[in-house]
Amino acid sequence: MQLLVVGAGVVGLAVARRAALAGHDVIVAERTGGIGNGVSSRNSEVIHGGMYYPTGSRRARHSIAGRRMLYDYCAAHGIAHRKCGKLIVATSEAELVKVEQIHAQGLINGVENLEMLDAAAVRRLEPEVRSLGALHSPQTGIVDSHGLMLALRGDLEDHGGMIAFHTRVMTLSPASGGWEARFEDGESATFDAIINCAGLGAQALAAATEGYPAGRVPRLVMARGNYFRYAGRPVFSRLIYPVPVDGGIGIHVTLDLAGQMRFGPDVEWIATENYDVDAMRADAFYERIRGYWPGLPDHSLLPDYCGIRPKLTGPGEAPADFLIDAPADHGLPGLVHLFGIESPGLTSALALAEEVGTHLDAQ
């Protein structure tokens, strides 16, 4: 089968790799000049445990299965990662109730080794944290996301696949048992199947797919997440998370494999794609962080970077699940659209690729 994957982010690369390993002829169309230049390169690089997500949801299933697959893949391919663990901390009685609810959901989801800790146990692990208690997730970790994507690309190319950079797909049309993709330069090519992993561009491509019902294209809601870098040396050895907020899981402590500490992301609902970090947002960061780390020094947060989450729901709405619209759903053979693949998309990538692969295998 000749297959086109649109988008060379971590999910697109994982889907393309899985298809190439299954023996398909795979081309990835990427509108930029490199891999992972969109959503995939602008996140916390966290390997999530899987405790936040509703029972039976794709987020719950794929974050847990994907996490296990990801740790194995990193170990087998020499990708830098660390299972550092994380604490979800409560700073009030009301927050403690929420953390206990997250614990209960995590147990339902099958997350391993979760443990509720009292304030004294939290201080023993992380003396700088102020809390009434916390949920400890030892399965949470961090990964070199670019190293991961390089390994996925290597597997793809080792099995005959290729990436066409600076290649924007404009329209998709049915064509003699397959699909014709027309590109920005006016050229076109025909494929047996097409997988839309375009991230922030997924809805636009779906809307430009001939025969695909307009009513099936979900709205795109963009939430910018800003990050601020800590100017000093890291004071935590684990990731530290507050309770979730509307649209995200809170301004948390993230560590990277280079030994730096940063905070983010916040949630900023936006109408147009923009990657400028507003330094004035640091005021809200100081206030939120000092709820669980009172020792945060003044003038220690520096603007770093931001990412944009391709959400399907907006402020005050329940978070949407990952949406995979496959032939069994919409009735068009050889076409799969992926929408709303935000956090925990990085963690879930290999498991998402398996689900997409089952739709290809069924053809």
Side-chain angles (χ1 to χ4, degrees):
M1 182 185 297
Q2 291 185 318
L3 174 68
L4 177 69
V5 176
V6 183
V10 66
V11 173
L13 291 170
V15 167
R17 167 192 174 269
R18 197 275 189 191
L21 265 60
H24 301 300
D25 295 327
V26 184
I27 296 176
V28 180
E30 168 54 43
R31 66 181 180 85
T32 75
I35 61 174
N37 284 336
V39 176
S40 298
S41 63
R42 297 174 172 273
N43 55 52
S44 302
E45 297 190 308
V46 172
I47 302 175
H48 287 283
M51 67 286 293
Y52 294 104
Y53 315 112
T55 307
S57 65
R58 278 195 173 100
R59 283 186 168 193
R61 290 187 287 107
H62 289 318
S63 62
I64 294 170
R67 165 172 52 78
R68 295 168 182 163
M69 296 169 71
L70 182 53
Y71 278 129
D72 289 344
Y73 187 78
C74 288
H77 289 74
I79 300 163
H81 67 289
R82 187 166 78 246
K83 193 182 290 187
C84 56
K86 86 173 180 182
L87 296 172
I88 306 174
V89 301
T91 59
S92 68
E93 291 292 344
E95 288 186 351
L96 190 58
V97 171
K98 292 181 180 180
V99 171
E100 289 169 343
Q101 291 170 344
I102 295 170
H103 180 209
Q105 186 63 57
L107 295 178
I108 292 171
N109 291 351
V111 181
E112 310 92 319
N113 307 125
L114 291 176
E115 182 183 12
M116 284 297 300
L117 304 178
D118 61 20
V122 173
R123 282 195 300 273
R124 285 194 293 272
L125 289 180
E126 296 289 355
E128 293 286 335
V129 171
R130 180 180 71 183
S131 75
L132 297 183
L135 175 61
H136 182 212
S137 169
Q139 295 298 321
T140 300
I142 53 177
V143 63
D144 174 4
S145 61
H146 195 67
L148 169 62
M149 288 185 282
L150 285 173
L152 294 171
R153 177 185 180 179
D155 283 348
L156 166 67
E157 294 177 341
D158 287 347
H159 288 80
M162 63 166 289
I163 304 175
F165 294 110
H166 302 293
T167 302
R168 183 191 293 267
V169 181
M170 303 303 292
T171 63
L172 302 177
S173 305
S176 60
W179 289 89
E180 181 184 59
R182 186 163 295 278
F183 306 104
E184 189 173 31
D185 63 3
E187 296 294 321
S188 64
T190 301
F191 301 89
D192 297 311
I194 294 181
I195 313 298
N196 175 8
C197 300
L200 291 168
Q203 278 87 341
L205 183 57
T209 302
E210 182 182 339
Y212 184 72
R216 299 192 70 85
V217 182
R219 65 175 176 147
L220 171 64
V221 182
M222 294 190 290
R224 182 164 53 198
N226 300 280
Y227 291 84
F228 282 78
R229 186 175 70 255
Y230 180 59
R233 298 176 59 126
V235 298
F236 303 108
S237 58
R238 295 164 184 80
L239 310 180
I240 311 297
Y241 279 63
V243 297
V245 298
D246 182 24
I249 52 179
I251 296 173
H252 54 264
V253 178
T254 67
L255 306 169
D256 66 25
L257 294 160
Q260 290 188 319
M261 185 170 78
R262 60 175 55 88
F263 295 88
D266 59 356
V267 179
E268 182 183 3
W269 302 100
I270 59 174
T272 58
E273 192 172 349
N274 184 292
Y275 294 96
D276 296 328
V277 179
D278 181 1
M280 297 299 293
R281 298 185 72 83
D283 293 341
F285 273 66
Y286 282 108
E287 179 181 359
R288 187 66 186 96
I289 295 164
R290 283 174 175 153
Y292 57 83
W293 181 29
L296 174 66
D298 290 334
H299 313 298
S300 60
L301 298 181
L302 306 173
D304 199 356
Y305 64 94
C306 70
I308 299 176
R309 309 172 184 93
K311 290 183 171 292
L312 304 182
T313 52
E317 299 175 341
D321 200 5
F322 296 153
L323 176 55
I324 300 177
D325 205 22
D329 304 306
H330 54 63
L332 299 172
L335 178 69
V336 182
H337 292 299
L338 281 73
F339 304 110
I341 311 298
E342 50 156 332
S343 180
L346 174 66
T347 303
S348 304
L350 292 172
L352 285 166
E354 287 299 316
E355 179 175 349
V356 172
T358 61
H359 297 300
L360 298 177
D361 296 342
Q363 292 204 171

